[in-house]
Amino acid sequence: VKVPAARFLGAAATPGGEPPARLPEVAIAGRSNVGKSSLLNALLGRRGLARTSRTPGRTRQINFFVVNDRFVVVDLPGYGFAVGPEAERAAWGPLVETYLRDRATLRGLVVLVDVRRGPEAEEAELLDFLRAVRLRAAVVATKTDKLGRAAATAALAAVRRAVPPDVPVLAFSARTGAGRVELWRLLESWLAAPGRGAGSA
Ligand SMILES: Nc1nc2c(ncn2[C@@H]2O[C@H](COP(=O)(O)OP(=O)(O)OP(=O)(O)O)[C@@H](O)[C@H]2O)c(=O)[nH]1
Ligand SMILES: [Mg+2]
């Protein structure tokens, strides 16, 4: 996929603060510091578009980016961070759950996990929630560059076994760009598919 034009569309810090839902949308979720913003930058080929940091829990709002005036990609705030004001931590659930449940144009959610860590209780809960709200999901195992080839293959197989069989699992590295083509292919298929509630079940 060629990405000639990606730009920041807007942000939501509270439910209802999202920019108007016009174009088909895909979103990226995952625990704090897993590499959501880095994945977005790697996908869009724009180093500084989504903010990244070494300090966990830095992206505290939902950030929307429009690509080629054709679709929207969304950087969600991370969960599982142990630092920061209590009020901000408490706000995560309502903000993200409301978005995932109600966003009419949302076609699917990428759940990012560290390949070395795999899915844990939060990811299992999130996948259950996505099923309940009828949203497509994929698990993307990132930071594969941190492992050697054999270890990465084994770790990816472990992630595959830990995820429900109907949920796609892909490998990714923001550092090397590995997995970028496969992820784009998946996202394009989501963007071309009907939204929730469209047509018959
Ligand atoms: N080696 C390696 N490092 C990565 C990769 N992806 C992200 N990182 C590093 O991991 C750290 C966190 O990355 P972010 O993209 O800011 O993570 P995030 O999920 O957006 O974090 P929050 O917004 O705080 O939830 C940064 O230091 C990145 O450079 C990767 O694929 N490989
Ligand atoms: Mg981030």
Side-chain angles (χ1 to χ4, degrees):
V1 174
K2 286 245 161 63
V3 183
R7 64 184 169 80
F8 181 66
L9 180 65
T14 53
E18 300 86 3
R22 269 195 319 117
L23 297 167
E25 198 162 288
V26 293
I28 321 290
R31 71 178 60 244
S32 187
N33 219 38
V34 72
K36 298 175 294 296
S37 301
S38 301
L39 175 140
L40 218 79
N41 288 334
L43 269 184
L44 300 180
R46 296 275 298 276
R47 193 159 296 224
L49 192 63
R51 239 183 258 167
T52 61
S53 80
R54 281 173 205 285
T55 313
R58 273 314 153 114
T59 312
R60 291 291 173 77
Q61 47 186 17
I62 303 180
N63 289 311
F64 297 79
F65 303 90
V66 61
V67 182
N68 296 348
D69 288 316
R70 189 165 70 81
F71 60 90
V72 173
V73 292
V74 175
D75 191 11
L76 291 173
Y79 51 81
F81 47 87
V83 295
E86 176 66 32
E88 278 187 22
R89 282 188 276 154
W92 188 91
L95 177 63
V96 174
E97 281 170 24
T98 303
Y99 167 76
L100 293 174
R101 196 184 55 232
D102 296 346
R103 185 71 166 172
T105 45
L106 184 58
R107 293 290 198 270
L109 180 72
V110 170
V111 178
L112 204 55
V113 298
D114 188 315
V115 70
R116 300 164 297 177
R117 196 163 169 168
E120 296 173 271
E122 289 92 335
E123 284 76 31
E125 261 177 53
L126 184 53
L127 291 174
D128 283 347
F129 179 79
L130 298 176
R131 206 178 288 281
V133 300
R134 296 164 38 85
L135 196 62
R136 290 177 195 86
V139 170
V140 171
T142 192
K143 305 194 184 181
T144 54
D145 61 279
K146 296 240 188 195
L147 296 174
R149 186 180 290 253
T153 302
L156 188 67
V159 174
R160 176 64 279 176
R161 285 193 300 274
V163 170
D166 62 329
V167 175
V169 171
L170 299 178
F172 191 84
S173 165
R175 182 146 302 172
T176 67
R180 193 171 171 271
V181 172
E182 292 80 0
L183 181 54
W184 264 127
R185 198 173 294 142
L186 178 77
L187 298 182
E188 287 285 3
S189 76
W190 284 0
L191 290 165
R196 280 180 288 196
S200 53

